């Protein structure tokens, strides 16, 4: 399938999604990966995860005119070698997503709605957020909560974040696409507010934050 869509945002960020329908060999043939990185990927036991890694590189090749090499900081945050463009990455068994911006910090996360998100309620939600859950769309709401908090976590690039205590989302009702308001509370009490966007497609939720 390859590139599913590219979406240019008003804030000049760009969101791109790749639909993984290719075999591992087909994906490998699409990309040029340094030998040391190829060795690391080949050591991954899960074929699905290997395909996701290759699909990310294929998507980078699709959206950049020049060859880009992906690397990671010690905290796991991805970056493009020799490039000022900021990047955040997400992947599932079927899709990989990338968001980029030349200046602003950002984060993105995608999850399949076929996953059971019941553990998220106790793990990542405050009592107020739990009270806002709707029984009719509970799993979808939990998926959006999780993706939104993961996206903010990636954007902040701070370790040891308590999702329930430090990332708060305003009440929302799931739709095909929409906006979310969130607050990140630093451990010293300082608060930062964020606007997020989300879309749903093929029983997946994709959430991103920029700025």
């Amino acid at each position: 399938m390859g590139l599913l869509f590219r979406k240019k945002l008003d804030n000049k960020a760009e969101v791109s999604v790749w639909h993984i329908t290719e075999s591992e060999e087909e994906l490998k043939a699409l990309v040029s990966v340094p030998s040391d990185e190829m060795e690391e990927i080949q050591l991954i036991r899960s074929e699905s995860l290997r395909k996701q890694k290759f699909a990310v590189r294929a998507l980078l090749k699709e959206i950049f005119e020049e060859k880009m090499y992906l690397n990671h900081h010690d905290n796991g945050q991805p970056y493009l070698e020799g490039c000022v463009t900021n990047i955040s990455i997400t992947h599932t068994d079927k899709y990989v997503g990338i968001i980029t911006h030349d200046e602003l910090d950002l984060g993105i996360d995608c999850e399949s709605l076929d996953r059971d998100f019941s553990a998220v309620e106790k793990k990542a939600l405050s009592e107020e957020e739990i009270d806002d859950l709707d029984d009719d769309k509970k799993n979808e709401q939990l998926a959006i909560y999780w993706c939104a908090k993961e996206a903010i976590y990636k954007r902040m690039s701070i370790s040891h974040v308590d999702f329930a205590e430090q990332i708060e989302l305003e009440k929302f009702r799931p739709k095909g696409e929409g906006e979310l308001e969130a607050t990140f509370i630093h451990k010293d009490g300082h608060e930062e507010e964020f606007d997020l966007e989300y879309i749903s497609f093929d029983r997946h939720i994709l959430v991103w934050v920029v700025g």
Side-chain angles (χ1 to χ4, degrees), residues 114-164:
D114 292 330
R115 171 184 164 187
D116 180 4
F117 286 92
S118 57
V120 171
E121 184 174 345
K122 294 181 179 179
K123 178 181 178 181
L125 268 60
S126 66
E127 291 184 6
E128 185 175 347
E129 289 169 336
I130 292 172
D131 290 340
D132 288 339
L133 291 173
D134 186 338
D135 288 339
D136 292 337
K137 292 189 173 184
K138 189 173 182 178
N139 199 63
E140 185 178 356
Q141 272 184 295
L142 289 171
I144 295 173
Y145 268 117
W146 181 253
C147 286
K149 295 195 177 198
E150 272 285 333
I152 291 177
Y153 173 68
K154 292 178 181 180
R155 182 259 177 247
M156 299 305 298
S157 190
I158 297 174
S159 59
H160 307 299
V161 172
D162 186 323
F163 278 29

Side-chain angles (χ1 to χ4, degrees), residues 46-63:
S46 166
E47 179 186 2
S48 176
L49 187 53
R50 292 196 304 270
K51 288 171 65 174
Q52 292 168 39
K53 297 285 188 181
F54 288 127
V56 167
R57 274 71 180 178
L59 186 51
L60 286 174
K61 183 179 178 182
E62 184 76 30
I63 62 180

Side-chain angles (χ1 to χ4, degrees), residues 22 75 99 106 141-142 174 180 190:
E22 303 86 356
N75 63 1
I99 186 169
L106 31 73
Q141 272 184 295
L142 289 171
L180 304 165
H190 173 64

Side-chain angles (χ1 to χ4, degrees), residues 74-92:
D74 291 341
N75 63 1
Q77 187 178 32
Y79 70 92
L80 300 171
E81 293 185 1
C83 181
V84 297
T85 300
N86 293 324
I87 186 171
S88 184
I89 298 170
T90 184
H91 38 79
T92 68

Side-chain angles (χ1 to χ4, degrees), residues 13-116:
E14 185 172 70
V15 177
S16 305
V17 173
W18 183 283
H19 186 189
I20 305 174
T21 57
E22 303 86 356
S23 68
E24 182 176 349
E25 291 304 314
E26 288 172 332
L27 286 169
K28 283 172 64 176
L30 292 174
V31 298
S32 175
V33 181
S35 58
D36 56 341
E37 188 177 337
M38 180 67 77
E39 290 177 7
E40 290 182 11
I41 295 176
Q42 298 288 34
L43 289 173
I44 298 173
R45 293 186 177 183
S46 166
E47 179 186 2
S48 176
L49 187 53
R50 292 196 304 270
K51 288 171 65 174
Q52 292 168 39
K53 297 285 188 181
F54 288 127
V56 167
R57 274 71 180 178
L59 186 51
L60 286 174
K61 183 179 178 182
E62 184 76 30
I63 62 180
F64 286 97
E65 294 181 1
E66 300 178 6
K67 185 180 291 186
M68 290 293 170
Y69 291 104
L70 183 68
N71 210 327
H72 294 81
H73 295 291
D74 291 341
N75 63 1
Q77 187 178 32
Y79 70 92
L80 300 171
E81 293 185 1
C83 181
V84 297
T85 300
N86 293 324
I87 186 171
S88 184
I89 298 170
T90 184
H91 38 79
T92 68
D93 287 345
K94 293 177 65 175
Y95 296 97
V96 298
I98 288 174
I99 186 169
T100 58
H101 195 286
D102 287 343
E103 298 175 355
L104 300 177
D105 292 324
L106 31 73
I108 192 170
D109 197 62
C110 184
E111 293 287 353
S112 168
L113 288 172
D114 292 330
R115 171 184 164 187
D116 180 4

